[in-house]
Amino acid sequence: MTPILRHLSSVTAPRRVINKLDSSLLLHYHTNSLKSNHTLKHYLDSGEPIKALLNFKQRFRESSSFIDSFSVLFAIKASSLAQKGHSFVGKQIHALVRKLGFESIIQIQTSLVGFYSAAGDISSARQVFDETSDKQNVVLWTSMIAAYTENEKSMQALELFRRMEEERIELDEVIVTVALSACADLGAVQMGEGIYSRSIKSKRRLGLDLTLRNSLLNMYVKAGDVEKAKRVFDETLRKDVTTYTSMIIGYALNGQAQKSLELFKKMSQDSSVSPNDVTFIGVLMACSHGGLVEEGKRHFRSMVEDYNLKPRDPHFGCMVDLLCRSGRLKDAHEFINQMPVKPNAVIWRTLLGACSLQGNVQLGEEVQRRIFELDSDHVGDYVALSNIYAAKGMWDEKLRMRDRVKKRREPGKSWIEMGNIIAGFVSGGDDGKLMSGEISEVLRCLITCMTSYDYDVENFDSSC
């Protein structure tokens, strides 16, 4: 559900960062470029970044005198938006920045960090950050920390945030929101609470910032601390759609489906706020976890008919999950086949997982064929079908399926927060580095403690 929870973030760091600067102070332009720059901006505002890049390229070929720092900024933004197949163009524009001597313009450097982040090139983003001379600008730090967070490197994001605090860069609501997002990804609640506390202590007005409060609420939701999330929700006087949605999803994810649906009903009665498509993901999740099939169908129809919202893959996935959890594999299969868009591999995997649980070999084989047409390199698909064969005693088929596994499953990762330290763990690591003896001793102590409270502990090998 992590991709779903990411929708709750109400900050798009690169855009917010660019908007925070006064361009009249930092950018310079040529008067003969004003009209051309207006054309570039028009293409960007119209959602046509490719046309913006082509226009920029044509202008540069005609005369480099028509290129100023505004032109370069628009071109970098166009490269970020175009992304696929145009990362090389962005790198060329970066080279042009150096050639024209625009490295001192903080807004351009910030945009370059955002471009490399969007392209998944985090090392180049960090290089731009390190090469920028003005390190006293909070916007630059925000861009780099957001880049780490957006590329699932939250530990590095928090390390850089700690360094930022040490250098006494003044915090604002945007950087604190990004830092809380990193804490949420790691489940580092204590650290997040410390960051929030320090921020409102330095600037009392930040305690009233709705975006910041929503980020704190989202952090508690991701950590599974519904009680603290509810406290933040209740103390937030002016609630928006993100506030309600975060709490609705929080209840849904933590086994409180009825409370989730009751809150959605209350939200629907609030004339100042209207649910969005992410809200309905939470509602459908609640119905799925609560086994409320008919109510889930009703909300799915209401989303389209009453709120004029177009279902996306997560909504279809929730509906398939709803039907699978209730054991209606045939209905789930029919629902997928009737989808108005081509179902992705994730939706098919939901059905494959249900087939594995219920031992449905025939449907499981068909579903796996559909998955292989979309993605034939996912180890879990082979494992799921081999488990179906094993449950039915079809050992030859199980071995054949296991033999088709071409690569190891990607190691799982987890983190634990100990005071101000976040320790990361990777499954399947180097056995030579494992503290096997110490781990076994801790396990034995835990078992002794649990059995003293009459817990029945099974499958523990004391000799491990």
Side-chain angles (χ1 to χ4, degrees):
M1 290 300 176
T2 301
I4 293 174
L5 288 172
R6 288 189 183 280
H7 286 290
L8 296 178
S9 176
S10 54
V11 173
T12 49
R15 187 182 307 168
R16 286 283 298 273
V17 165
I18 289 173
N19 289 343
K20 282 180 65 64
L21 293 173
D22 184 349
S23 58
S24 64
L25 295 176
L26 297 175
L27 295 171
H28 54 83
Y29 60 89
H30 303 310
T31 54
N32 58 353
S33 298
L34 289 177
K35 185 177 180 180
S36 300
N37 287 340
H38 179 76
T39 303
L40 285 174
K41 188 175 185 302
H42 170 73
Y43 283 137
L44 287 175
D45 292 342
S46 303
E48 298 179 296
I50 306 298
K51 287 187 177 180
L53 288 173
L54 291 173
N55 180 269
F56 177 83
K57 187 176 181 180
Q58 179 184 350
R59 285 171 50 200
F60 184 73
R61 282 178 175 174
E62 291 174 355
S63 173
S64 59
S65 64
F66 284 93
I67 301 299
D68 60 16
S69 52
F70 276 100
S71 314
V72 172
L73 181 67
F74 291 142
I76 295 170
K77 186 174 182 181
S79 298
S80 299
L81 294 173
Q83 288 185 14
K84 287 187 178 180
H86 291 83
S87 60
F88 180 69
V89 177
K91 291 177 182 179
Q92 288 181 316
I93 296 172
H94 186 185
L96 182 63
V97 168
R98 291 187 172 124
K99 183 179 179 180
L100 297 175
F102 289 161
E103 301 103 311
S104 62
I105 301 177
I106 194 70
Q107 204 168 14
I108 285 181
Q109 296 296 87
T110 296
S111 296
L112 283 170
V113 171
F115 158 71
Y116 283 119
S117 173
D121 188 352
I122 199 70
S123 60
S124 293
R126 182 58 190 258
Q127 185 178 350
V128 173
F129 173 82
D130 290 337
E131 290 175 352
T132 304
S133 56
D134 183 9
K135 289 289 197 303
Q136 294 302 306
N137 192 293
V138 66
V139 179
L140 179 69
W141 290 84
T142 303
S143 292
M144 191 62 236
I145 293 170
Y148 277 131
T149 304
E150 290 162 3
N151 285 275
E152 300 181 2
K153 296 183 181 295
S154 296
M155 294 255 314
Q156 290 93 322
L158 292 176
E159 287 170 5
L160 189 60
F161 180 82
R162 188 181 292 116
R163 178 184 152 193
M164 176 185 169
E165 286 192 299
E166 289 171 356
E167 298 195 14
R168 300 188 180 280
I169 307 297
E170 187 176 2
L171 303 179
D172 64 10
E173 63 274 16
V174 182
I175 185 59
V176 177
T177 298
V178 174
L180 288 180
S181 178
C183 291
D185 290 339
L186 297 175
V189 174
Q190 268 186 290
M191 185 172 290
E193 289 175 334
I195 290 172
Y196 182 79
S197 177
R198 291 193 298 275
S199 69
I200 61 175
K201 187 176 180 180
S202 63
K203 287 186 177 180
R204 292 181 64 89
R205 66 174 178 79
L206 294 183
L208 302 176
D209 187 86
L210 182 57
T211 299
L212 195 54
R213 292 191 66 83
N214 285 340
S215 295
L216 184 67
L217 171 58
N218 183 35
M219 182 185 73
Y220 287 134
V221 165
K222 285 188 175 182
D225 196 333
V226 181
E227 186 176 332
K228 285 186 177 179
K230 180 65 164 58
R231 189 183 310 152
V232 174
F233 179 84
D234 289 340
E235 291 174 355
T236 304
L237 301 180
R238 184 173 59 87
K239 301 176 176 66
D240 65 3
V241 62
T242 303
T243 317
Y244 274 106
T245 299
S246 296
M247 199 66 236
I248 288 169
I249 290 180
Y251 281 137
L253 285 176
N254 291 281
Q256 300 183 41
Q258 204 56 49
K259 286 187 176 181
S260 179
L261 296 172
E262 287 172 2
L263 183 58
F264 174 72
K265 183 178 180 181
K266 180 180 178 182
M267 177 187 182
S268 302
Q269 296 169 348
D270 187 344
S271 59
S272 66
V273 63
S274 180
N276 60 20
D277 62 331
V278 184
T279 311
F280 275 96
I281 292 174
V283 171
L284 294 175
M285 283 167 52
C287 293
S288 178
H289 291 192
L292 306 170
V293 177
E294 295 307 317
E295 186 163 357
K297 290 180 178 180
R298 179 171 60 81
H299 284 299
F300 187 79
R301 289 193 301 270
S302 174
M303 170 186 168
V304 178
E305 297 170 2
D306 300 332
Y307 295 93
N308 198 29
L309 296 171
K310 185 178 180 180
R312 297 183 292 112
D313 284 343
H315 302 98
F316 293 119
C318 285
M319 288 301 296
V320 172
D321 185 58
L322 170 66
L323 295 168
C324 287
R325 283 175 181 261
S326 62
R328 302 185 186 186
L329 270 60
K330 183 179 178 182
D331 291 344
H333 190 212
E334 289 178 357
F335 179 86
I336 294 175
N337 287 329
Q338 293 171 6
M339 283 173 52
V341 295
K342 184 178 181 180
N344 60 29
V346 175
I347 290 174
W348 283 114
R349 284 191 185 109
T350 302
L351 182 54
L352 180 61
C355 291
S356 179
L357 288 173
Q358 296 195 24
N360 192 323
V361 177
Q362 184 178 358
L363 183 56
E365 289 177 333
E366 180 186 343
V367 170
Q368 193 196 44
R369 283 195 296 272
R370 294 294 191 96
I371 294 174
F372 284 176
E373 292 173 2
L374 301 168
D375 179 11
S376 61
D377 203 30
H378 192 273
V379 178
D381 301 331
Y382 295 93
V383 175
L385 191 56
S386 70
N387 289 340
I388 298 176
Y389 289 141
K392 292 295 184 180
M394 302 167 68
W395 304 111
D396 290 339
E397 287 80 358
K398 171 185 167 63
L399 292 174
R400 177 175 55 82
M401 191 55 56
R402 287 283 182 171
D403 289 341
R404 293 179 65 183
V405 177
K406 297 178 180 178
K407 66 175 185 178
R408 292 181 59 190
R409 188 193 300 255
E410 187 174 329
K413 299 177 183 178
S414 61
W415 296 268
I416 184 170
E417 184 180 20
M418 300 177 292
N420 291 325
I421 300 174
I422 300 174
F425 300 89
V426 180
S427 66
D430 185 355
D431 291 340
K433 295 180 181 179
L434 292 177
M435 302 168 65
S436 301
E438 291 85 345
I439 292 172
S440 297
E441 183 60 33
V442 171
L443 282 172
R444 276 189 283 272
C445 290
L446 287 172
I447 296 297
T448 302
C449 181
M450 292 168 70
T451 52
S452 68
Y453 284 93
D454 297 325
Y455 282 100
D456 185 18
V457 182
E458 299 178 352
N459 301 323
F460 176 69
D461 183 1
S462 61
S463 64
C464 66

